[in-house]
Amino acid sequence: MALPPRPARVATLAPAVRRVLAENPSPMTYWGTNSYVVGSGEVAVIDPGPADPDQIAAILGALSPGETVSHIFVTHAHLDHSPGAALLAAATGAPVLAYGDAQAGRSPQMTALAARGGLAGGEGVDAGFTPDRTLADGEITAHGDWQLEALWTPGHFGNHLAFALPAGRGLFCGDLVMGWASSLVSPPDGDLAAFMASLARLATREDQVFYPGHGEVIAAPARRLAELRAHREMRGRQIADALRSEPGSAAELAERIYVETPAALLPAAARNVLAHLIEMASKNEATFDAELRADSVFSAPQE
């Protein structure tokens, strides 16, 4: 997949929002990770990005003379979002705030699956991530001229938070919602049931714009949320149809369904299929052989 032209590394998106783009473009990160600077004076930084000193220097370079970083927020513990937090904290003395460590927020089902083993997908988890302060769902942090409300939005990752500006002025949605592609949902860190519930939760809000972890600002959040829900529902129907035709593993089903996807992206597609299959099995809409693993063979339930 060809990547689009990269935008300016530092851009002012709104009076209180600056974007600093990390130098980590890829088919999975689009043009790279979006780090955000919120407020003025004593500012907040959301998602400092990978463990890249150059990105930390770019964030600090985006500050106006006399500005300092007072708080560092992390949406979730993937390697393209959270490791830079420790570097930025070391440079500024600011605390790191997040929902919890890399295992926080997992559902009981995903916790049990993780303990059993055999499901890890290697999607770049920052396993050592630990925030200085944990944030509860709905907790508001205010400092200087900015305020952010933490919204627990698991699905892409168990410890995923979105951060809302007051009065619907915008929401930093991390990797839950992206404008250029559907998010990866890879068990046990990703959970399709939680993902759909988080989309539904955001759909009840009236945020004017979404600021995603990758890609451009989402100017029509309600429409994008509806598109993502419809896409997942369509994918579920495709998987159910494929199972009725012939049993298969997640990887085999992905090859049969994602016929126009480049081969390099099929492993990620297989993880998305696995998330659907686990959810379908929980509702008795699919069965699998023996113990659930990443390579388990799934079948349609017997009529």
PDB file of all heavy atoms in Angstrom, residues 33 46-47 49 73-83 97-102 123-126 129 153 156-163 173-176 184 213-214:
ATOM      1  N   THR A  33       2.977   8.319  13.863  1.00  0.00           N
ATOM      2  CA  THR A  33       2.199   8.567  15.072  1.00  0.00           C
ATOM      3  C   THR A  33       1.999  10.063  15.277  1.00  0.00           C
ATOM      4  O   THR A  33       2.948  10.836  15.183  1.00  0.00           O
ATOM      5  CB  THR A  33       2.902   7.967  16.299  1.00  0.00           C
ATOM      6  OG1 THR A  33       3.055   6.557  16.110  1.00  0.00           O
ATOM      7  CG2 THR A  33       2.099   8.212  17.573  1.00  0.00           C
ATOM      8  N   ILE A  46      -0.087  14.510  24.572  1.00  0.00           N
ATOM      9  CA  ILE A  46      -0.783  13.228  24.429  1.00  0.00           C
ATOM     10  C   ILE A  46      -0.008  12.355  23.457  1.00  0.00           C
ATOM     11  O   ILE A  46       0.282  12.776  22.334  1.00  0.00           O
ATOM     12  CB  ILE A  46      -2.222  13.430  23.926  1.00  0.00           C
ATOM     13  CG1 ILE A  46      -3.021  14.272  24.928  1.00  0.00           C
ATOM     14  CG2 ILE A  46      -2.912  12.089  23.687  1.00  0.00           C
ATOM     15  CD1 ILE A  46      -4.420  14.637  24.443  1.00  0.00           C
ATOM     16  N   ASP A  47       0.361  11.162  23.884  1.00  0.00           N
ATOM     17  CA  ASP A  47       1.069  10.162  23.076  1.00  0.00           C
ATOM     18  C   ASP A  47       2.397  10.681  22.522  1.00  0.00           C
ATOM     19  O   ASP A  47       2.508  11.037  21.340  1.00  0.00           O
ATOM     20  CB  ASP A  47       0.187   9.665  21.927  1.00  0.00           C
ATOM     21  CG  ASP A  47      -0.836   8.646  22.371  1.00  0.00           C
ATOM     22  OD1 ASP A  47      -0.777   8.215  23.537  1.00  0.00           O
ATOM     23  OD2 ASP A  47      -1.698   8.268  21.562  1.00  0.00           O
ATOM     24  N   GLY A  49       4.733   9.061  21.547  1.00  0.00           N
ATOM     25  CA  GLY A  49       5.148   8.235  20.428  1.00  0.00           C
ATOM     26  C   GLY A  49       6.196   7.208  20.779  1.00  0.00           C
ATOM     27  O   GLY A  49       6.347   6.812  21.939  1.00  0.00           O
ATOM     28  N   PHE A  73       0.085  12.422  28.749  1.00  0.00           N
ATOM     29  CA  PHE A  73      -1.009  11.453  28.694  1.00  0.00           C
ATOM     30  C   PHE A  73      -0.707  10.404  27.626  1.00  0.00           C
ATOM     31  O   PHE A  73      -0.170  10.728  26.565  1.00  0.00           O
ATOM     32  CB  PHE A  73      -2.327  12.149  28.357  1.00  0.00           C
ATOM     33  CG  PHE A  73      -2.802  13.114  29.406  1.00  0.00           C
ATOM     34  CD1 PHE A  73      -2.375  14.437  29.401  1.00  0.00           C
ATOM     35  CD2 PHE A  73      -3.679  12.711  30.401  1.00  0.00           C
ATOM     36  CE1 PHE A  73      -2.808  15.335  30.362  1.00  0.00           C
ATOM     37  CE2 PHE A  73      -4.115  13.598  31.375  1.00  0.00           C
ATOM     38  CZ  PHE A  73      -3.685  14.920  31.356  1.00  0.00           C
ATOM     39  N   VAL A  74      -1.089   9.163  27.904  1.00  0.00           N
ATOM     40  CA  VAL A  74      -0.880   8.057  26.960  1.00  0.00           C
ATOM     41  C   VAL A  74      -2.215   7.377  26.704  1.00  0.00           C
ATOM     42  O   VAL A  74      -2.915   6.980  27.649  1.00  0.00           O
ATOM     43  CB  VAL A  74       0.147   7.054  27.512  1.00  0.00           C
ATOM     44  CG1 VAL A  74       0.221   5.803  26.644  1.00  0.00           C
ATOM     45  CG2 VAL A  74       1.526   7.711  27.615  1.00  0.00           C
ATOM     46  N   THR A  75      -2.569   7.230  25.423  1.00  0.00           N
ATOM     47  CA  THR A  75      -3.839   6.576  25.101  1.00  0.00           C
ATOM     48  C   THR A  75      -3.783   5.071  25.326  1.00  0.00           C
ATOM     49  O   THR A  75      -4.755   4.478  25.810  1.00  0.00           O
ATOM     50  CB  THR A  75      -4.267   6.852  23.645  1.00  0.00           C
ATOM     51  OG1 THR A  75      -3.265   6.338  22.745  1.00  0.00           O
ATOM     52  CG2 THR A  75      -4.479   8.336  23.403  1.00  0.00           C
ATOM     53  N   HIS A  76      -2.633   4.429  24.981  1.00  0.00           N
ATOM     54  CA  HIS A  76      -2.540   2.984  25.155  1.00  0.00           C
ATOM     55  C   HIS A  76      -1.085   2.540  24.989  1.00  0.00           C
ATOM     56  O   HIS A  76      -0.250   3.288  24.468  1.00  0.00           O
ATOM     57  CB  HIS A  76      -3.458   2.237  24.188  1.00  0.00           C
ATOM     58  CG  HIS A  76      -3.106   2.396  22.747  1.00  0.00           C
ATOM     59  ND1 HIS A  76      -3.241   3.591  22.053  1.00  0.00           N
ATOM     60  CD2 HIS A  76      -2.629   1.513  21.819  1.00  0.00           C
ATOM     61  CE1 HIS A  76      -2.876   3.442  20.806  1.00  0.00           C
ATOM     62  NE2 HIS A  76      -2.486   2.177  20.630  1.00  0.00           N
ATOM     63  N   ALA A  77      -0.823   1.314  25.429  1.00  0.00           N
ATOM     64  CA  ALA A  77       0.556   0.831  25.541  1.00  0.00           C
ATOM     65  C   ALA A  77       1.009   0.044  24.320  1.00  0.00           C
ATOM     66  O   ALA A  77       1.412  -1.115  24.421  1.00  0.00           O
ATOM     67  CB  ALA A  77       0.714  -0.013  26.808  1.00  0.00           C
ATOM     68  N   HIS A  78       0.958   0.664  23.153  1.00  0.00           N
ATOM     69  CA  HIS A  78       1.615   0.120  21.970  1.00  0.00           C
ATOM     70  C   HIS A  78       2.917   0.874  21.737  1.00  0.00           C
ATOM     71  O   HIS A  78       3.039   2.065  22.088  1.00  0.00           O
ATOM     72  CB  HIS A  78       0.711   0.235  20.740  1.00  0.00           C
ATOM     73  CG  HIS A  78      -0.155  -0.961  20.518  1.00  0.00           C
ATOM     74  ND1 HIS A  78      -1.392  -0.897  19.920  1.00  0.00           N
ATOM     75  CD2 HIS A  78       0.053  -2.281  20.787  1.00  0.00           C
ATOM     76  CE1 HIS A  78      -1.922  -2.119  19.845  1.00  0.00           C
ATOM     77  NE2 HIS A  78      -1.056  -2.966  20.360  1.00  0.00           N
ATOM     78  N   LEU A  79       3.881   0.193  21.118  1.00  0.00           N
ATOM     79  CA  LEU A  79       5.231   0.741  21.001  1.00  0.00           C
ATOM     80  C   LEU A  79       5.312   2.016  20.162  1.00  0.00           C
ATOM     81  O   LEU A  79       6.302   2.743  20.249  1.00  0.00           O
ATOM     82  CB  LEU A  79       6.172  -0.319  20.410  1.00  0.00           C
ATOM     83  CG  LEU A  79       6.518  -1.480  21.336  1.00  0.00           C
ATOM     84  CD1 LEU A  79       7.295  -2.561  20.579  1.00  0.00           C
ATOM     85  CD2 LEU A  79       7.340  -0.995  22.533  1.00  0.00           C
ATOM     86  N   ASP A  80       4.298   2.279  19.358  1.00  0.00           N
ATOM     87  CA  ASP A  80       4.317   3.510  18.576  1.00  0.00           C
ATOM     88  C   ASP A  80       3.632   4.675  19.295  1.00  0.00           C
ATOM     89  O   ASP A  80       3.545   5.769  18.742  1.00  0.00           O
ATOM     90  CB  ASP A  80       3.677   3.290  17.203  1.00  0.00           C
ATOM     91  CG  ASP A  80       2.266   2.741  17.280  1.00  0.00           C
ATOM     92  OD1 ASP A  80       1.965   2.009  18.241  1.00  0.00           O
ATOM     93  OD2 ASP A  80       1.451   3.041  16.390  1.00  0.00           O
ATOM     94  N   HIS A  81       3.183   4.453  20.530  1.00  0.00           N
ATOM     95  CA  HIS A  81       2.494   5.507  21.276  1.00  0.00           C
ATOM     96  C   HIS A  81       3.113   5.813  22.639  1.00  0.00           C
ATOM     97  O   HIS A  81       3.207   6.985  23.015  1.00  0.00           O
ATOM     98  CB  HIS A  81       1.025   5.121  21.497  1.00  0.00           C
ATOM     99  CG  HIS A  81       0.199   5.180  20.263  1.00  0.00           C
ATOM    100  ND1 HIS A  81      -0.612   6.244  19.938  1.00  0.00           N
ATOM    101  CD2 HIS A  81       0.072   4.298  19.238  1.00  0.00           C
ATOM    102  CE1 HIS A  81      -1.203   6.021  18.785  1.00  0.00           C
ATOM    103  NE2 HIS A  81      -0.801   4.839  18.336  1.00  0.00           N
ATOM    104  N   SER A  82       3.491   4.791  23.392  1.00  0.00           N
ATOM    105  CA  SER A  82       3.803   5.003  24.808  1.00  0.00           C
ATOM    106  C   SER A  82       5.273   5.099  25.196  1.00  0.00           C
ATOM    107  O   SER A  82       5.590   5.791  26.174  1.00  0.00           O
ATOM    108  CB  SER A  82       3.150   3.890  25.647  1.00  0.00           C
ATOM    109  OG  SER A  82       3.573   2.607  25.218  1.00  0.00           O
ATOM    110  N   PRO A  83       6.236   4.451  24.527  1.00  0.00           N
ATOM    111  CA  PRO A  83       7.608   4.474  25.051  1.00  0.00           C
ATOM    112  C   PRO A  83       8.218   5.865  25.130  1.00  0.00           C
ATOM    113  O   PRO A  83       9.056   6.135  26.011  1.00  0.00           O
ATOM    114  CB  PRO A  83       8.376   3.593  24.060  1.00  0.00           C
ATOM    115  CG  PRO A  83       7.355   2.696  23.472  1.00  0.00           C
ATOM    116  CD  PRO A  83       6.130   3.541  23.367  1.00  0.00           C
ATOM    117  N   LEU A  97       0.448   9.912  32.708  1.00  0.00           N
ATOM    118  CA  LEU A  97      -0.886   9.508  33.130  1.00  0.00           C
ATOM    119  C   LEU A  97      -1.498   8.588  32.077  1.00  0.00           C
ATOM    120  O   LEU A  97      -1.431   8.862  30.875  1.00  0.00           O
ATOM    121  CB  LEU A  97      -1.792  10.728  33.323  1.00  0.00           C
ATOM    122  CG  LEU A  97      -1.463  11.692  34.464  1.00  0.00           C
ATOM    123  CD1 LEU A  97      -0.296  12.608  34.116  1.00  0.00           C
ATOM    124  CD2 LEU A  97      -2.683  12.538  34.821  1.00  0.00           C
ATOM    125  N   ALA A  98      -2.114   7.488  32.532  1.00  0.00           N
ATOM    126  CA  ALA A  98      -2.749   6.527  31.636  1.00  0.00           C
ATOM    127  C   ALA A  98      -3.731   5.693  32.447  1.00  0.00           C
ATOM    128  O   ALA A  98      -3.804   5.813  33.677  1.00  0.00           O
ATOM    129  CB  ALA A  98      -1.703   5.631  30.972  1.00  0.00           C
ATOM    130  N   TYR A  99      -4.475   4.840  31.747  1.00  0.00           N
ATOM    131  CA  TYR A  99      -5.439   3.992  32.439  1.00  0.00           C
ATOM    132  C   TYR A  99      -4.747   2.986  33.342  1.00  0.00           C
ATOM    133  O   TYR A  99      -5.246   2.638  34.408  1.00  0.00           O
ATOM    134  CB  TYR A  99      -6.314   3.270  31.413  1.00  0.00           C
ATOM    135  CG  TYR A  99      -7.436   2.469  32.035  1.00  0.00           C
ATOM    136  CD1 TYR A  99      -8.593   3.090  32.480  1.00  0.00           C
ATOM    137  CD2 TYR A  99      -7.339   1.078  32.167  1.00  0.00           C
ATOM    138  CE1 TYR A  99      -9.624   2.363  33.052  1.00  0.00           C
ATOM    139  CE2 TYR A  99      -8.366   0.346  32.731  1.00  0.00           C
ATOM    140  CZ  TYR A  99      -9.507   0.989  33.181  1.00  0.00           C
ATOM    141  OH  TYR A  99     -10.525   0.264  33.752  1.00  0.00           O
ATOM    142  N   GLY A 100      -3.604   2.495  32.909  1.00  0.00           N
ATOM    143  CA  GLY A 100      -2.868   1.506  33.688  1.00  0.00           C
ATOM    144  C   GLY A 100      -1.754   0.924  32.853  1.00  0.00           C
ATOM    145  O   GLY A 100      -1.395   1.459  31.799  1.00  0.00           O
ATOM    146  N   ASP A 101      -1.179  -0.174  33.323  1.00  0.00           N
ATOM    147  CA  ASP A 101      -0.079  -0.793  32.605  1.00  0.00           C
ATOM    148  C   ASP A 101      -0.600  -1.533  31.373  1.00  0.00           C
ATOM    149  O   ASP A 101      -1.778  -1.433  31.020  1.00  0.00           O
ATOM    150  CB  ASP A 101       0.726  -1.715  33.521  1.00  0.00           C
ATOM    151  CG  ASP A 101      -0.069  -2.906  34.043  1.00  0.00           C
ATOM    152  OD1 ASP A 101      -1.123  -3.258  33.455  1.00  0.00           O
ATOM    153  OD2 ASP A 101       0.366  -3.503  35.043  1.00  0.00           O
ATOM    154  N   ALA A 102       0.284  -2.287  30.719  1.00  0.00           N
ATOM    155  CA  ALA A 102      -0.074  -2.902  29.443  1.00  0.00           C
ATOM    156  C   ALA A 102      -1.140  -3.986  29.573  1.00  0.00           C
ATOM    157  O   ALA A 102      -1.754  -4.355  28.564  1.00  0.00           O
ATOM    158  CB  ALA A 102       1.179  -3.479  28.786  1.00  0.00           C
ATOM    159  N   GLU A 123       1.941  -7.536  18.145  1.00  0.00           N
ATOM    160  CA  GLU A 123       1.559  -6.245  17.576  1.00  0.00           C
ATOM    161  C   GLU A 123       2.267  -5.070  18.233  1.00  0.00           C
ATOM    162  O   GLU A 123       1.775  -3.957  18.229  1.00  0.00           O
ATOM    163  CB  GLU A 123       0.039  -6.037  17.667  1.00  0.00           C
ATOM    164  CG  GLU A 123      -0.733  -6.822  16.641  1.00  0.00           C
ATOM    165  CD  GLU A 123      -0.801  -8.303  16.978  1.00  0.00           C
ATOM    166  OE1 GLU A 123      -0.993  -8.634  18.145  1.00  0.00           O
ATOM    167  OE2 GLU A 123      -0.627  -9.127  16.059  1.00  0.00           O
ATOM    168  N   GLY A 124       3.422  -5.298  18.820  1.00  0.00           N
ATOM    169  CA  GLY A 124       4.187  -4.176  19.333  1.00  0.00           C
ATOM    170  C   GLY A 124       3.703  -3.656  20.667  1.00  0.00           C
ATOM    171  O   GLY A 124       3.580  -2.439  20.862  1.00  0.00           O
ATOM    172  N   VAL A 125       3.430  -4.549  21.616  1.00  0.00           N
ATOM    173  CA  VAL A 125       3.000  -4.132  22.947  1.00  0.00           C
ATOM    174  C   VAL A 125       4.193  -3.606  23.737  1.00  0.00           C
ATOM    175  O   VAL A 125       5.265  -4.207  23.761  1.00  0.00           O
ATOM    176  CB  VAL A 125       2.345  -5.311  23.700  1.00  0.00           C
ATOM    177  CG1 VAL A 125       2.027  -4.927  25.141  1.00  0.00           C
ATOM    178  CG2 VAL A 125       1.097  -5.772  22.969  1.00  0.00           C
ATOM    179  N   ASP A 126       4.002  -2.482  24.398  1.00  0.00           N
ATOM    180  CA  ASP A 126       5.004  -1.911  25.302  1.00  0.00           C
ATOM    181  C   ASP A 126       4.816  -2.567  26.659  1.00  0.00           C
ATOM    182  O   ASP A 126       4.221  -2.003  27.579  1.00  0.00           O
ATOM    183  CB  ASP A 126       4.818  -0.396  25.373  1.00  0.00           C
ATOM    184  CG  ASP A 126       5.877   0.300  26.217  1.00  0.00           C
ATOM    185  OD1 ASP A 126       6.832  -0.375  26.656  1.00  0.00           O
ATOM    186  OD2 ASP A 126       5.745   1.528  26.430  1.00  0.00           O
ATOM    187  N   PHE A 129       5.397  -0.852  30.080  1.00  0.00           N
ATOM    188  CA  PHE A 129       4.807   0.456  30.350  1.00  0.00           C
ATOM    189  C   PHE A 129       4.091   0.496  31.692  1.00  0.00           C
ATOM    190  O   PHE A 129       3.276  -0.380  31.996  1.00  0.00           O
ATOM    191  CB  PHE A 129       3.821   0.843  29.243  1.00  0.00           C
ATOM    192  CG  PHE A 129       3.076   2.120  29.525  1.00  0.00           C
ATOM    193  CD1 PHE A 129       3.722   3.343  29.424  1.00  0.00           C
ATOM    194  CD2 PHE A 129       1.742   2.085  29.911  1.00  0.00           C
ATOM    195  CE1 PHE A 129       3.040   4.529  29.695  1.00  0.00           C
ATOM    196  CE2 PHE A 129       1.050   3.263  30.180  1.00  0.00           C
ATOM    197  CZ  PHE A 129       1.708   4.486  30.070  1.00  0.00           C
ATOM    198  N   THR A 153     -11.901   3.490  26.715  1.00  0.00           N
ATOM    199  CA  THR A 153     -12.446   3.034  25.434  1.00  0.00           C
ATOM    200  C   THR A 153     -11.677   1.803  24.953  1.00  0.00           C
ATOM    201  O   THR A 153     -10.952   1.858  23.956  1.00  0.00           O
ATOM    202  CB  THR A 153     -12.358   4.164  24.395  1.00  0.00           C
ATOM    203  OG1 THR A 153     -11.049   4.768  24.463  1.00  0.00           O
ATOM    204  CG2 THR A 153     -13.395   5.236  24.649  1.00  0.00           C
ATOM    205  N   HIS A 156      -9.382  -1.749  20.855  1.00  0.00           N
ATOM    206  CA  HIS A 156      -8.091  -1.854  20.185  1.00  0.00           C
ATOM    207  C   HIS A 156      -7.042  -2.330  21.182  1.00  0.00           C
ATOM    208  O   HIS A 156      -6.141  -3.101  20.828  1.00  0.00           O
ATOM    209  CB  HIS A 156      -7.702  -0.494  19.602  1.00  0.00           C
ATOM    210  CG  HIS A 156      -6.317  -0.440  19.036  1.00  0.00           C
ATOM    211  ND1 HIS A 156      -5.959  -1.072  17.859  1.00  0.00           N
ATOM    212  CD2 HIS A 156      -5.184   0.163  19.493  1.00  0.00           C
ATOM    213  CE1 HIS A 156      -4.679  -0.865  17.612  1.00  0.00           C
ATOM    214  NE2 HIS A 156      -4.184  -0.129  18.585  1.00  0.00           N
ATOM    215  N   PHE A 157      -7.158  -1.878  22.422  1.00  0.00           N
ATOM    216  CA  PHE A 157      -6.243  -2.272  23.493  1.00  0.00           C
ATOM    217  C   PHE A 157      -7.002  -2.125  24.809  1.00  0.00           C
ATOM    218  O   PHE A 157      -7.827  -1.224  24.955  1.00  0.00           O
ATOM    219  CB  PHE A 157      -5.000  -1.367  23.477  1.00  0.00           C
ATOM    220  CG  PHE A 157      -3.787  -1.975  24.106  1.00  0.00           C
ATOM    221  CD1 PHE A 157      -2.834  -2.615  23.333  1.00  0.00           C
ATOM    222  CD2 PHE A 157      -3.580  -1.923  25.478  1.00  0.00           C
ATOM    223  CE1 PHE A 157      -1.699  -3.180  23.904  1.00  0.00           C
ATOM    224  CE2 PHE A 157      -2.458  -2.491  26.059  1.00  0.00           C
ATOM    225  CZ  PHE A 157      -1.511  -3.122  25.270  1.00  0.00           C
ATOM    226  N   GLY A 158      -6.705  -3.008  25.763  1.00  0.00           N
ATOM    227  CA  GLY A 158      -7.461  -3.005  27.014  1.00  0.00           C
ATOM    228  C   GLY A 158      -7.325  -1.733  27.815  1.00  0.00           C
ATOM    229  O   GLY A 158      -8.270  -1.299  28.481  1.00  0.00           O
ATOM    230  N   ASN A 159      -6.143  -1.108  27.798  1.00  0.00           N
ATOM    231  CA  ASN A 159      -5.937   0.089  28.616  1.00  0.00           C
ATOM    232  C   ASN A 159      -6.152   1.382  27.823  1.00  0.00           C
ATOM    233  O   ASN A 159      -5.686   2.449  28.210  1.00  0.00           O
ATOM    234  CB  ASN A 159      -4.549   0.085  29.262  1.00  0.00           C
ATOM    235  CG  ASN A 159      -3.408   0.404  28.298  1.00  0.00           C
ATOM    236  OD1 ASN A 159      -3.584   0.409  27.080  1.00  0.00           O
ATOM    237  ND2 ASN A 159      -2.227   0.668  28.847  1.00  0.00           N
ATOM    238  N   HIS A 160      -6.883   1.286  26.728  1.00  0.00           N
ATOM    239  CA  HIS A 160      -7.050   2.432  25.834  1.00  0.00           C
ATOM    240  C   HIS A 160      -7.928   3.515  26.457  1.00  0.00           C
ATOM    241  O   HIS A 160      -9.021   3.258  26.947  1.00  0.00           O
ATOM    242  CB  HIS A 160      -7.681   1.970  24.515  1.00  0.00           C
ATOM    243  CG  HIS A 160      -7.574   2.964  23.411  1.00  0.00           C
ATOM    244  ND1 HIS A 160      -8.355   4.102  23.358  1.00  0.00           N
ATOM    245  CD2 HIS A 160      -6.777   3.011  22.325  1.00  0.00           C
ATOM    246  CE1 HIS A 160      -8.041   4.792  22.274  1.00  0.00           C
ATOM    247  NE2 HIS A 160      -7.091   4.158  21.623  1.00  0.00           N
ATOM    248  N   LEU A 161      -7.426   4.748  26.408  1.00  0.00           N
ATOM    249  CA  LEU A 161      -8.183   5.920  26.812  1.00  0.00           C
ATOM    250  C   LEU A 161      -8.326   6.873  25.641  1.00  0.00           C
ATOM    251  O   LEU A 161      -7.418   7.005  24.817  1.00  0.00           O
ATOM    252  CB  LEU A 161      -7.483   6.677  27.948  1.00  0.00           C
ATOM    253  CG  LEU A 161      -7.462   6.060  29.341  1.00  0.00           C
ATOM    254  CD1 LEU A 161      -6.616   6.920  30.275  1.00  0.00           C
ATOM    255  CD2 LEU A 161      -8.874   5.907  29.907  1.00  0.00           C
ATOM    256  N   ALA A 162      -9.468   7.538  25.566  1.00  0.00           N
ATOM    257  CA  ALA A 162      -9.630   8.727  24.737  1.00  0.00           C
ATOM    258  C   ALA A 162      -9.650   9.916  25.694  1.00  0.00           C
ATOM    259  O   ALA A 162      -9.964   9.770  26.876  1.00  0.00           O
ATOM    260  CB  ALA A 162     -10.922   8.656  23.930  1.00  0.00           C
ATOM    261  N   PHE A 163      -9.326  11.086  25.171  1.00  0.00           N
ATOM    262  CA  PHE A 163      -9.277  12.286  26.003  1.00  0.00           C
ATOM    263  C   PHE A 163     -10.117  13.374  25.349  1.00  0.00           C
ATOM    264  O   PHE A 163      -9.874  13.747  24.194  1.00  0.00           O
ATOM    265  CB  PHE A 163      -7.831  12.757  26.189  1.00  0.00           C
ATOM    266  CG  PHE A 163      -6.966  11.760  26.894  1.00  0.00           C
ATOM    267  CD1 PHE A 163      -6.074  10.959  26.186  1.00  0.00           C
ATOM    268  CD2 PHE A 163      -7.055  11.585  28.265  1.00  0.00           C
ATOM    269  CE1 PHE A 163      -5.276  10.026  26.831  1.00  0.00           C
ATOM    270  CE2 PHE A 163      -6.268  10.649  28.919  1.00  0.00           C
ATOM    271  CZ  PHE A 163      -5.381   9.873  28.202  1.00  0.00           C
ATOM    272  N   CYS A 173      -8.775  10.427  20.069  1.00  0.00           N
ATOM    273  CA  CYS A 173      -9.352   9.079  20.078  1.00  0.00           C
ATOM    274  C   CYS A 173      -8.317   7.973  19.950  1.00  0.00           C
ATOM    275  O   CYS A 173      -8.686   6.800  19.817  1.00  0.00           O
ATOM    276  CB  CYS A 173     -10.402   8.950  18.984  1.00  0.00           C
ATOM    277  SG  CYS A 173      -9.824   9.343  17.316  1.00  0.00           S
ATOM    278  N   GLY A 174      -7.012   8.308  19.990  1.00  0.00           N
ATOM    279  CA  GLY A 174      -5.994   7.273  19.932  1.00  0.00           C
ATOM    280  C   GLY A 174      -6.143   6.413  18.688  1.00  0.00           C
ATOM    281  O   GLY A 174      -6.339   6.914  17.584  1.00  0.00           O
ATOM    282  N   ASP A 175      -6.088   5.094  18.872  1.00  0.00           N
ATOM    283  CA  ASP A 175      -6.213   4.166  17.748  1.00  0.00           C
ATOM    284  C   ASP A 175      -7.579   3.501  17.690  1.00  0.00           C
ATOM    285  O   ASP A 175      -7.786   2.561  16.921  1.00  0.00           O
ATOM    286  CB  ASP A 175      -5.132   3.083  17.831  1.00  0.00           C
ATOM    287  CG  ASP A 175      -3.782   3.575  17.332  1.00  0.00           C
ATOM    288  OD1 ASP A 175      -3.668   4.779  17.010  1.00  0.00           O
ATOM    289  OD2 ASP A 175      -2.835   2.771  17.296  1.00  0.00           O
ATOM    290  N   LEU A 176      -8.532   3.965  18.505  1.00  0.00           N
ATOM    291  CA  LEU A 176      -9.868   3.387  18.436  1.00  0.00           C
ATOM    292  C   LEU A 176     -10.546   3.755  17.125  1.00  0.00           C
ATOM    293  O   LEU A 176     -11.217   2.924  16.500  1.00  0.00           O
ATOM    294  CB  LEU A 176     -10.721   3.866  19.612  1.00  0.00           C
ATOM    295  CG  LEU A 176     -12.122   3.262  19.650  1.00  0.00           C
ATOM    296  CD1 LEU A 176     -12.078   1.803  20.084  1.00  0.00           C
ATOM    297  CD2 LEU A 176     -13.048   4.056  20.566  1.00  0.00           C
ATOM    298  N   LEU A 184      -6.838  -2.128  14.093  1.00  0.00           N
ATOM    299  CA  LEU A 184      -6.518  -3.522  14.371  1.00  0.00           C
ATOM    300  C   LEU A 184      -7.119  -3.918  15.710  1.00  0.00           C
ATOM    301  O   LEU A 184      -7.002  -3.195  16.704  1.00  0.00           O
ATOM    302  CB  LEU A 184      -4.994  -3.701  14.408  1.00  0.00           C
ATOM    303  CG  LEU A 184      -4.485  -5.095  14.758  1.00  0.00           C
ATOM    304  CD1 LEU A 184      -4.811  -6.082  13.640  1.00  0.00           C
ATOM    305  CD2 LEU A 184      -2.979  -5.070  14.998  1.00  0.00           C
ATOM    306  N   GLY A 213      -4.833   8.859  16.507  1.00  0.00           N
ATOM    307  CA  GLY A 213      -3.423   8.544  16.718  1.00  0.00           C
ATOM    308  C   GLY A 213      -2.624   8.488  15.449  1.00  0.00           C
ATOM    309  O   GLY A 213      -1.394   8.616  15.468  1.00  0.00           O
ATOM    310  N   HIS A 214      -3.294   8.290  14.319  1.00  0.00           N
ATOM    311  CA  HIS A 214      -2.642   8.253  13.013  1.00  0.00           C
ATOM    312  C   HIS A 214      -3.579   8.882  11.992  1.00  0.00           C
ATOM    313  O   HIS A 214      -4.792   8.670  12.039  1.00  0.00           O
ATOM    314  CB  HIS A 214      -2.313   6.813  12.595  1.00  0.00           C
ATOM    315  CG  HIS A 214      -1.541   6.045  13.611  1.00  0.00           C
ATOM    316  ND1 HIS A 214      -0.176   6.133  13.722  1.00  0.00           N
ATOM    317  CD2 HIS A 214      -1.946   5.181  14.583  1.00  0.00           C
ATOM    318  CE1 HIS A 214       0.241   5.354  14.709  1.00  0.00           C
ATOM    319  NE2 HIS A 214      -0.822   4.766  15.248  1.00  0.00           N
TER     320      HIS A 214
END
